[in-house]
Amino acid sequence: RRFLFTLGVALSQLGLIGWLDYLTSYEVSMDVLYYVPIAYAAWYLGRPWSFVFAAMGVAVLTWIEISGGPHFTRGWVIWERGAMRSFNFGFVALSLNYFKQTISIAHRKVRAFDGRLLICPCCSRLDGGDGYWMDFPTYVRKNTEAQPEFRTCPTCSQSDAKKES
């Protein structure tokens, strides 16, 4: 139900913008407003739907230009405009999908150390959330992109030097 509601909102946005664009005729450019349903689809419906809405935006704009009557000196101009809009709308869809993916990865990294972190008081292993317990370096490698390296801290170095003497 939520998907259908979200799809309906995106379609409504596209329809409203297309209707306003039709009313203003070719004299007022509303191309940039078509980014709104493309962005909405990219964010809430996913990558394939953002490209569907990009293609629908191009189709609506091309239909509006054709229905407004001939106003170009060359017949191929309308198809060139459609190709350029396809490129622009596709670029917006691709960019927003990449942006959402980047934010999702960053959010997952932060969430790896958010909330309760169950640590065994005896062996200091961590609960990985899937029923398996692992040491801290393994937990970090599994839940983040960090690569733990081992280096003795200054306090432990001094402590080891005192033990040796």
Side-chain angles (χ1 to χ4, degrees):
R1 298 189 81 162
R2 186 176 180 183
F3 172 79
L4 291 176
F5 176 77
T6 308
L7 183 63
V9 169
L11 286 169
S12 299
Q13 291 173 346
L14 184 63
L16 178 65
I17 293 166
W19 179 68
L20 289 172
D21 199 11
Y22 179 77
L23 290 178
T24 60
S25 181
Y26 66 90
E27 295 171 350
V28 178
S29 176
M30 293 198 169
D31 289 16
V32 73
L33 293 181
Y34 288 87
Y35 294 160
V36 173
I38 295 168
Y40 187 82
W43 201 262
Y44 295 107
L45 297 173
R47 182 186 311 255
W49 283 102
S50 66
F51 288 109
V52 167
F53 274 86
M56 288 189 329
V58 171
V60 167
L61 272 164
T62 304
W63 176 80
I64 288 169
E65 285 188 338
I66 290 171
S67 68
H71 52 271
F72 298 115
T73 58
R74 305 270 188 244
W76 56 266
V77 173
I78 199 161
W79 302 111
E80 181 271 336
R81 289 172 61 100
M84 288 298 107
R85 286 181 179 133
S86 296
F87 176 77
N88 289 337
F89 291 176
F91 180 76
V92 167
L94 189 65
S95 298
L96 286 168
N97 280 298
Y98 178 77
F99 180 65
K100 184 180 180 197
Q101 180 182 5
T102 303
I103 286 176
S104 176
I105 290 169
H107 185 64
R108 191 175 70 240
K109 287 180 188 178
V110 169
R111 205 175 36 220
F113 292 105
D114 191 23
R116 292 179 31 181
L117 190 59
L118 300 176
I119 303 172
C120 175
C122 300
C123 65
S124 297
R125 292 192 305 165
L126 295 107
D127 181 10
D130 53 3
Y132 296 101
W133 291 75
M134 60 191 81
D135 60 347
F136 186 74
T138 304
Y139 181 86
V140 169
R141 274 193 296 275
K142 181 179 177 188
N143 294 298
T144 68
E145 292 182 17
Q147 294 298 320
E149 293 181 9
F150 294 96
R151 185 175 296 154
T152 307
C153 72
T155 305
C156 291
S157 294
Q158 291 173 358
S159 158
D160 287 344
K162 287 180 184 177
K163 286 181 186 176
E164 289 178 6
S165 39

